[in-house]
Amino acid sequence: LEKKIAFLEGRIPQKYPEVQYLGYKERKRILVTGGAGFVGSHLVDVLMIQGHEVIVVDNFFTGRKRNIEHWFGHRNFELIHHDIVNPLFVEADEIYHLASPASPPHYMQNPVKTIKTNTLGTINMLGLARRVGAKILIASTSEVYGDPMVHPQPESYWGHVNPIGPRACYDEGKRVSETLAYSYAKQEKVSVRVARIFNTYGPRMHVSDGRVVSNFIMQALQNLTITVYGNGKQTRSFCYVSDLVDGLLALMASSYSLPVNIGNPVEHTIEEFAVIIKNLVPGCRSTVATGAAVEDDPQRRRPDITLAKKELHWSPKVSLQDGLQRTIDYFKEELSRTTFYNNQTY
Ligand code: NAD
Ligand code: UDP
């Protein structure tokens, strides 16, 4: 018997991150689709620590069990391996609908699937919200503004999207997601929140994510050429992941139901960004090279966050310098535990 007990103890985690105790009136059951991904897993951590019951639904297309494994076995936590393109029957008070690939190489890999996830998947989640009376937050994107003709971008701007270009599966998928949200709100009285998320970065991005932050940091850490696509004059504004999570929580809690930009308005050209990263990696010997431009690459992007400040009393707190330092430390660790095989990372 003693042997059996010792065997079990070895397998049941002895300690989880500490969670608050919430009474049954305050404790909510919260569904997070895409909760094993980069943003979703950080959101799950905060919701769990606040003391809520959290259900993660993920098909692990770009997410990883490792991002949430520290909660496995906790009585407030449940993981469902499920593709949201198929209907889902669970009970929830709130839904954070984040499931969708976010990195251009990932969402372009299977454009039809990206469209299905953002259309059929969103219909399934809105239908679930209607059935159980849950409030639902849709993770939309700055990509709904396309290659914008208005700068910085306020929520009132309708965008400039090529409907048949390589990014359309994602951009138009998210635009339909928003349309679906407001159709369900009007017709079925579902309580919706829409976050237009701008470029976000931080720990738990995948080393092969393919977005600019992970590419540049991985290249700088290995003294490889930093690959700027096009002339590098295109701009982006980068938000640290904890700031984004705070914004999503504030939006869900608010009574404001129209789309809200969540992002950091500090804007840099991609060329400048390459140099910033190179300078933050001690002893980096990488050179910065420009190359072929990417088709339909948005040329300028910066959120106007006046609305988020007014309605959510939210603005980002983490500086680019601090956020990048934390992200570089994370990628250093990832690099030390990553196996490279046939140019693939595992
Ligand atoms: P991510 O790729 O790390 O996470 C997405 C998660 O969704 C993954 O765990 C993936 O496995 C899961 N998923 C994808 N398709 C699914 C499906 N059909 N069924 C179930 N699960 C599925 O991306 P992220 O950066 O964490 O982005 C999260 C959300 O935020 C996405 O909706 C994305 O469009 C949005 N967003 C992110 C950014 C950003 O910069 N990170 C910017 C704008 C919008
Ligand atoms: N980019 C780059 N080199 C890379 C990856 C991306 O120059 O290795 C550029 C890309 O062309 C775009 C910007 O960085 O102009 C941001 O790209 P990302 O894929 O991170 O996100 P996007 O904002 O385009 O969705």
Side-chain angles (χ1 to χ4, degrees):
L1 189 65
E2 265 173 29
K3 262 191 188 168
K4 270 191 185 166
I5 291 168
F7 175 82
L8 266 178
E9 277 176 351
R11 272 148 189 80
I12 297 169
Q14 296 299 299
K15 206 166 167 23
Y16 298 104
E18 207 166 305
V19 306
Q20 286 173 35
Y21 173 77
L22 284 182
Y24 76 97
K25 279 191 181 155
E26 302 143 299
R27 190 168 62 223
K28 292 181 195 136
R29 182 175 291 177
I30 302 177
L31 171 63
V32 182
T33 76
F38 159 55
V39 175
S41 62
H42 286 279
L43 174 66
V44 166
D45 283 353
V46 177
L47 296 172
M48 282 294 295
I49 287 165
Q50 285 179 345
H52 296 292
E53 284 177 36
V54 177
I55 307 172
V56 166
V57 167
D58 207 294
N59 70 348
F60 299 105
F61 174 46
T62 50
R64 291 177 295 180
K65 287 192 182 141
R66 200 154 69 81
N67 288 340
I68 42 170
E69 71 184 356
H70 45 287
W71 296 115
F72 287 1
H74 194 288
R75 63 180 173 186
N76 287 357
F77 179 82
E78 199 177 333
L79 170 63
I80 304 176
H81 188 155
H82 177 83
D83 191 315
I84 52 141
V85 165
N86 302 311
L88 175 72
F89 297 95
V90 294
E91 305 299 313
D93 303 305
E94 288 181 353
I95 303 170
Y96 287 86
H97 175 37
L98 272 60
S100 163
S103 156
H106 289 155
Y107 68 64
M108 288 180 198
Q109 191 183 320
N110 187 343
V112 174
K113 180 67 193 223
T114 301
I115 297 170
K116 284 185 182 172
T117 296
N118 280 294
T119 55
L120 295 174
T122 302
I123 289 175
N124 285 332
M125 292 310 110
L126 285 161
L128 170 62
R130 177 189 55 188
R131 183 176 64 79
V132 301
K135 204 197 268 189
I136 179 168
L137 182 150
I138 308 280
S140 184
T141 169
S142 53
E143 293 275 337
V144 298
Y145 302 122
D147 188 4
M149 311 297 276
V150 171
H151 191 78
Q153 294 80 53
E155 290 82 351
S156 54
Y157 178 48
W158 288 357
H160 181 230
V161 173
N162 174 1
I164 56 167
R167 303 174 85 98
C169 57
Y170 183 71
D171 300 9
E172 297 290 16
K174 290 288 186 183
R175 286 168 70 97
V176 173
S177 237
E178 290 197 7
T179 310
L180 283 165
Y182 292 106
S183 302
Y184 269 80
K186 193 169 179 206
Q187 189 179 322
E188 307 289 345
K189 312 290 171 244
V190 174
S191 180
V192 299
R193 303 287 179 270
V194 172
R196 288 190 181 151
I197 302 170
F198 282 64
N199 297 63
T200 302
Y201 69 100
R204 298 192 193 156
M205 292 185 96
H206 199 285
V207 288
S208 319
D209 179 89
R211 280 176 278 190
V212 70
V213 176
S214 45
N215 278 7
F216 284 6
I217 295 179
M218 287 296 286
Q219 289 161 345
L221 286 172
Q222 297 170 96
N223 295 311
L224 299 171
T225 305
I226 298 182
T227 55
V228 171
Y229 301 159
N231 62 13
K233 304 291 178 217
Q234 70 272 37
T235 70
R236 291 295 186 273
S237 310
F238 295 97
C239 183
Y240 190 67
V241 64
S242 60
D243 281 333
L244 169 62
V245 168
D246 287 348
L248 296 179
L249 294 166
L251 178 58
M252 182 65 106
S254 86
S255 55
Y256 191 79
S257 59
L258 289 172
V260 182
N261 289 340
I262 311 273
N264 190 321
V266 177
E267 182 184 5
H268 286 284
T269 65
I270 293 302
E271 194 180 34
E272 283 165 1
F273 194 60
V275 176
I276 292 171
I277 289 187
K278 185 179 151 134
N279 291 341
L280 282 173
V281 173
C284 174
R285 298 189 305 279
S286 295
T287 52
V288 177
T290 52
V294 170
E295 195 180 338
D296 286 347
D297 201 356
Q299 290 306 295
R300 296 188 78 187
R301 185 182 290 160
R302 174 184 169 190
D304 178 336
I305 58 164
T306 313
L307 196 63
K309 284 183 179 163
K310 179 171 171 270
E311 295 293 337
L312 314 181
H313 310 290
W314 174 89
S315 56
K317 296 185 185 72
V318 181
S319 70
L320 186 63
Q321 178 93 8
D322 285 355
L324 281 177
Q325 199 55 67
R326 289 182 220 173
T327 312
I328 289 168
D329 291 346
Y330 154 79
F331 275 110
K332 257 188 214 161
E333 255 181 60
E334 283 295 281
L335 202 52
S336 66
R337 57 163 292 282
T338 302
T339 314
F340 291 89
Y341 177 69
N342 281 348
N343 283 333
Q344 299 280 330
T345 47
Y346 292 91

